[in-house]
Amino acid sequence: MTTLLTREAGAVVPVAGERPGHACASGLPADEVQDTHRDHTDRDTVIVPSPEETLDRLIEEGHHDPRVFDRYDLEFIESLFRRASARGPGVEVTHHTCDAPSTLQGAGCPERFEDRVCMVALSLAAGDRCLAEQIVDEILSGRFHPDATMFLNVGRVSRGELMPCILLRVEDTLESIAWAVNSSLQLSGRGGVVALSLTNVREVGAPPRAAESSSTGIIPVMRLLEDSFACAGAPGAGAVCLHAHHPEILSFLEAGRAGTDGRTCLENLSLGVVVPDITFELAHDDQEMQLFSPHDVARVHGVPLSEIEVSRRYHELVADDRIRKTTIKAREFFEAVAKLQLESGWPYLVFEDAVNRDNPIRGWVTMSDADARILQVATSSHHNEDLSSCVVGKDISCPLGSLDIAAALESPDLGRTVETAVRVLTAVSDQSDLGCVPSVDRGTTMGHAIGLGQVNLHGCLTRESIRHGSDECRDFTDMYFRVITYHALWASCRLAKERRTTFEGFERSTYATGEYFDKYLEQDRLPRTKKVAELFTRSKIVLPTRQDWLELAAEVARHGLYNQNLQAVSLPGHGVDPEKVIDTCAEAVKHVDQGVSPMLVLPGTATTQDLTRLQRRAWRSGLKTLCRVRVERARPAGDGGGDHEA
C-alpha cells in the first residue's frame, strides 16, 4: 500500500484524490473536485502518530526486530529519529511503499520515509553510532540511494531477502538442473532476482545422461525455470545466459521471439548471451562460426564449455574431431540477436574477453545478471542423487546501491560519502541469510562482494551544461569514476584492516601483486578541459595524485581488501544518441571492476544493421556488457502525438 505521510505527528493526510483548491486535470467543476476530495479523504486516510509511538507499536506487533535496538541506548535512538525528522527527505520523496501489514489503521503501515531510513541505519550500523548518523545523512541528502529490496526489508522480523541479485551456475547433470529449479524457486520467493548460466548443459540430440533416448536440450530446462519463478509468485524475476558458441544458440534466441498468436515461447524469462572476441572477428570477415557440444568439450578437455577461453582456443576446438560441431554464419547469429532485441529488448550481451581481460580476481567470469553489470567469478557445485551437495562451489550474490552523481559532487566530504556507501553495502552482504542455497551463501561469505552504482549522470551533465559525448563529458566521466574508485578501494582497505581479514583469494588477485594499480601510477592525471577542472575545484573535490595512488597500493598490499568486488554500474541513455552513451560509458568502465552497462534507447526506425553497428562499437570501445535495448515507438493516432517507450 502506498501512503502519503507528513512530518507532523497526528496529521491526517489523504492517500488519493486532488488537494482542496487545486484544479482537477479532468476539468471537473470546483464543487465536484471538493466532493471527490472529501470522498477520498473519508475512505483513504492514515493517521500518523509520533515516531516514538509508531516504533513502539511496530515492535509490539512483531514487524520490527527488537534486537536491532539492543545495540543502542534509548537516548541515541530518539536523537537519530529527531535528526532524520529535522532533515526530512531531501530527495524527491513524497510517498513510501510499505508491504508489511500493520493494525495501527488496519491496512496501511504508517512508517514515514525518514523512519524507514533510521531503521535501515540502525540495523546496518550494528551498534556504530557514527555510521548510523552518516547513513541517515547520506540517504536523506539524496547522495546515496539504497536498493529497494534491501531498503524495505532491513530490520523487519518477517522479511524478504536483502540481496537483489543472485547468479547461479548450472552443470550438465540432472541433479544440477533439479537443484537450479529448486534454488530459483526459493530465492525468487524470497524476493531475489536470479540469473542462471546454461552454457554447460548439453544440447538437444546429445548422448543421454541416463536414459536410452537422447538429450532434450536447454529449452525444456528454460521452461522449468520459468515455471519455478511463476510458482514463487515472481514471474519475470529470472534470467538465463548462454554462450554464443553453444549448439542451441539460435533456438535459445528463437524462444524469446513473439509467436504468431502474439505470445512468446518464454514470456517471462530474460535472455543473455556471452559473446567472445572471435565471434565478432568471424562476423567481420563474413565467415562461418562453429558451435561446440558442451558434453564433448567437457569429456575431451576435462573443462566445461563456460570455462574454455573460446577466442584463444577456437581453432584448436575446430580441429578436434572428437568434438561434435554445428556450423552457422557468424553474421546470421548477430542478425538473430539484433532482431530479437528490436522486438523484445533482449538479449543483454556479455563480452567475454573484455570482461576477463580486466578482471582483477583469479578465475573466469562466465555470465552476468539481467542488468548486465554484475561480473564475478563462480565455481561449480556437484550434487548427490538426493540433491544434497557433495561439492559446494561458489555462486554469486551482490547487494546494490547507487550514488547520485549530481548530489555527490555537492557532498562536503566525497570520500566519506563513498565510504559510507561501501560500509552500507558490506553490512548488507554480511547480514544476508542465504543458507537455503549453500553455494550462494559460501560465495557471499568468501567474497563480501558489493555493487556500488551511479545514477543521474544525465542530470549532472545537464546542470553543468556539458553535452553528452563531448570532450568535456568524457573528461568528466573519466575523472569522476577515477575518484570514486580511489575512495572505494580505501574504504575496503580500511575494512580489511579493522577486521583483520580479506576476501578469500586476495593474495592471488592483481590488487595484491600491484598490477591493478599500474594504470594509475604512470603519471598524475588532471582534467583535460577547463570546464571539468573548474567543476572539481568548485566542488572542492581533491583529485588523487600519483603519490596518493602509491600510498593506497602500499596499504592494500599490507592490509588487503575486504570486498572482492566493489562497483557495478548501469547507465541508461534515454534521449541521448546511443553512440555518445557508449563513448561515455567507455570512459567509466576503465575504472569499474565489474560492469558499466549502458541501456541503448533507439528510435522506432532503427534497423538490425543499426543495432549490430552499435554492438560492434561497444565491443571495440572496451565495454564489457550491453544491457537490454529499448525502442521508442510512435504513439497511436489520437494519443496526443510524440513518441513513447515501448
Side-chain angles (χ1 to χ4, degrees):
M1 177 179 177
T2 301
T3 308
L4 188 64
L5 303 168
T6 67
R7 300 187 184 90
E8 299 180 22
V12 179
V13 186
V15 175
E18 302 290 340
R19 292 183 180 180
H22 284 239
C24 181
S26 63
L28 292 174
D31 57 342
E32 291 189 32
V33 172
Q34 293 288 345
D35 291 341
T36 300
H37 168 72
R38 189 177 301 108
D39 290 341
H40 280 299
T41 302
D42 291 341
R43 185 178 69 248
D44 297 320
T45 59
V46 173
I47 300 177
V48 184
S50 66
E52 293 81 5
E53 183 180 349
T54 299
L55 196 59
D56 289 342
R57 293 292 297 275
L58 288 173
I59 294 174
E60 289 174 5
E61 294 174 2
H63 300 306
H64 283 178
D65 188 346
R67 294 173 297 180
V68 171
F69 305 99
D70 292 342
R71 300 185 179 102
Y72 308 90
D73 58 64
L74 181 59
E75 181 180 355
F76 175 76
I77 294 172
E78 292 177 345
S79 70
L80 189 70
F81 276 82
R82 287 194 298 271
R83 183 189 190 100
S85 295
R87 291 190 65 101
V91 291
E92 294 181 3
V93 177
T94 56
H95 69 275
H96 168 45
T97 301
C98 180
D99 297 324
S102 172
T103 59
L104 284 174
Q105 288 296 318
C109 176
E111 186 182 46
R112 304 177 308 163
F113 178 80
E114 301 95 307
D115 299 340
R116 179 96 289 262
V117 170
C118 288
M119 196 64 194
V120 168
L122 293 169
S123 300
L124 298 181
D128 186 332
R129 296 184 178 191
C130 182
L131 178 58
E133 293 177 339
Q134 290 172 359
I135 294 172
V136 167
D137 291 345
E138 296 301 336
I139 295 178
L140 290 181
S141 68
R143 292 189 289 267
F144 178 63
H145 297 250
D147 176 80
T149 303
M150 174 270 284
F151 185 75
L152 294 177
N153 283 293
V154 163
R156 299 198 187 280
V157 174
S158 299
R159 64 175 174 86
E161 187 44 62
L162 304 183
M163 290 289 192
C165 291
I166 311 291
L167 283 69
L168 306 176
R169 277 183 54 148
V170 184
E171 307 305 325
D172 189 30
T173 66
L174 291 174
E175 290 79 11
S176 182
I177 293 171
W179 165 84
V181 171
N182 176 65
S183 299
S184 299
L185 182 66
Q186 295 213 46
L187 291 167
S188 60
R190 289 168 167 80
V193 177
V194 185
L196 304 100
S197 171
L198 300 183
T199 295
N200 296 333
V201 177
R202 70 186 66 188
E203 74 280 13
V204 64
R209 299 178 181 87
E212 293 298 327
S213 60
S214 60
S215 169
T216 56
I218 64 169
I219 302 301
V221 178
M222 294 167 67
R223 291 186 185 279
L224 286 172
L225 291 170
E226 185 178 50
D227 288 344
S228 72
F229 294 119
C231 180
V240 288
C241 202
L242 193 71
H243 199 282
H245 289 263
H246 189 285
E248 289 193 81
I249 185 61
L250 293 184
S251 298
F252 175 82
L253 295 172
E254 187 66 26
R257 297 196 63 187
T260 54
D261 61 349
R263 301 181 63 190
T264 57
C265 180
L266 294 166
E267 295 180 334
N268 297 309
L269 208 57
S270 305
L271 306 183
V273 177
V274 179
V275 187
D277 289 352
I278 187 66
T279 318
F280 282 99
E281 294 165 6
L282 293 170
H284 179 267
D285 297 334
D286 196 18
Q287 295 183 14
E288 294 180 334
M289 59 185 282
Q290 299 290 325
L291 313 178
F292 307 108
S293 167
H295 171 70
D296 290 346
V297 169
R299 176 178 54 84
V300 172
H301 293 278
V303 179
L305 178 59
S306 65
E307 296 180 19
I308 289 280
E309 297 182 44
V310 172
S311 291
R312 183 174 65 84
R313 303 183 64 179
Y314 177 77
H315 296 291
E316 174 191 349
L317 296 172
V318 170
D320 195 332
D321 293 335
R322 297 169 296 176
I323 298 175
R324 281 168 301 166
K325 307 167 189 71
T326 306
T327 301
I328 62 173
K329 295 285 289 184
R331 291 186 179 178
E332 177 187 350
F333 160 73
F334 282 106
E335 181 80 7
V337 169
K339 283 183 178 178
L340 180 56
Q341 288 180 323
L342 290 177
E343 288 180 10
S344 68
W346 308 111
Y348 61 92
L349 300 180
V350 179
F351 303 138
E352 182 177 44
D353 294 291
V355 169
N356 286 286
R357 272 193 297 269
D358 292 337
N359 178 27
I361 310 303
R362 177 174 291 185
W364 194 254
V365 178
T366 62
M367 63 180 299
S368 179
D369 66 310
D371 286 328
R373 51 184 168 172
I374 299 175
L375 300 168
Q376 299 177 27
V377 175
T379 61
S380 61
S381 298
H382 300 283
H383 306 278
N384 298 311
E385 291 182 353
D386 62 357
L387 302 189
S388 61
S389 299
C390 54
V391 176
V392 179
K394 176 186 174 185
D395 281 309
I396 298 165
S397 66
C398 192
L400 301 172
S402 298
L403 298 180
D404 183 299
I405 296 175
L409 290 178
E410 298 177 345
S411 172
D413 186 342
L414 181 58
R416 189 181 73 172
T417 294
V418 174
E419 181 162 352
T420 300
V422 168
R423 288 180 179 271
V424 166
L425 297 179
T426 300
V428 174
S429 176
D430 291 343
Q431 295 180 21
S432 290
D433 179 8
L434 294 162
C436 62
V437 184
S439 59
V440 179
D441 193 50
R442 181 170 182 260
T444 304
T445 303
M446 291 171 63
H448 320 292
I450 63 173
L452 177 61
Q454 304 290 331
V455 296
N456 200 25
L457 174 62
H458 181 72
C460 178
L461 296 176
T462 301
R463 185 186 70 185
E464 302 299 333
S465 300
I466 296 176
R467 294 174 61 89
H468 258 287
S470 65
D471 288 342
E472 292 165 338
C473 173
R474 294 193 295 271
D475 188 24
F476 169 77
T477 304
D478 179 26
M479 294 306 304
Y480 176 81
F481 278 90
R482 183 181 295 259
V483 173
I484 296 299
T485 298
Y486 174 80
H487 290 301
L489 288 169
W490 260 118
S492 187
C493 184
R494 291 190 187 100
L495 283 168
K497 184 177 180 180
E498 292 169 10
R499 303 182 183 190
R500 298 185 179 182
T501 188
T502 67
F503 67 83
E504 188 166 321
F506 166 78
E507 66 282 356
R508 299 185 297 276
S509 70
T510 59
Y511 296 121
T513 64
E515 297 172 62
Y516 172 85
F517 297 96
D518 288 347
K519 59 187 173 184
Y520 299 109
L521 300 179
E522 296 173 356
Q523 60 182 7
D524 283 339
R525 170 73 171 90
L526 298 173
R528 300 186 301 268
T529 59
K530 180 180 178 181
K531 176 173 284 190
V532 173
E534 292 174 348
L535 171 58
F536 280 100
T537 299
R538 186 173 70 250
S539 300
K540 299 180 180 179
I541 294 175
V542 178
L543 302 175
T545 64
R546 179 176 179 275
Q547 183 60 37
D548 293 329
W549 284 104
L550 277 170
E551 293 174 3
L552 173 58
E555 284 295 294
V556 169
R558 183 177 301 113
H559 301 290
L561 296 175
Y562 188 74
N563 309 92
Q564 174 188 280
N565 299 90
L566 284 165
Q567 297 185 73
V569 181
S570 180
L571 294 177
H574 299 284
V576 181
D577 183 343
E579 291 188 355
K580 295 178 180 179
V581 174
I582 290 171
D583 294 344
T584 301
C585 289
E587 295 294 332
V589 78
K590 296 183 293 187
H591 308 291
V592 175
D593 59 315
Q594 297 189 80
V596 176
S597 181
M599 179 183 291
L600 305 183
V601 181
L602 306 179
T605 56
T607 65
T608 55
Q609 289 79 9
D610 295 331
L611 197 44
T612 53
R613 177 177 51 80
L614 290 170
Q615 292 166 357
R616 192 168 187 85
R617 185 186 187 96
W619 169 67
R620 285 188 176 278
S621 72
L623 287 186
K624 303 173 188 177
T625 60
L626 274 180
C627 191
R628 66 173 299 181
V629 172
R630 295 197 175 184
V631 180
E632 294 178 339
R633 309 291 187 190
R635 291 184 184 273
D639 195 29
D643 291 340
H644 75 281
E645 188 176 292

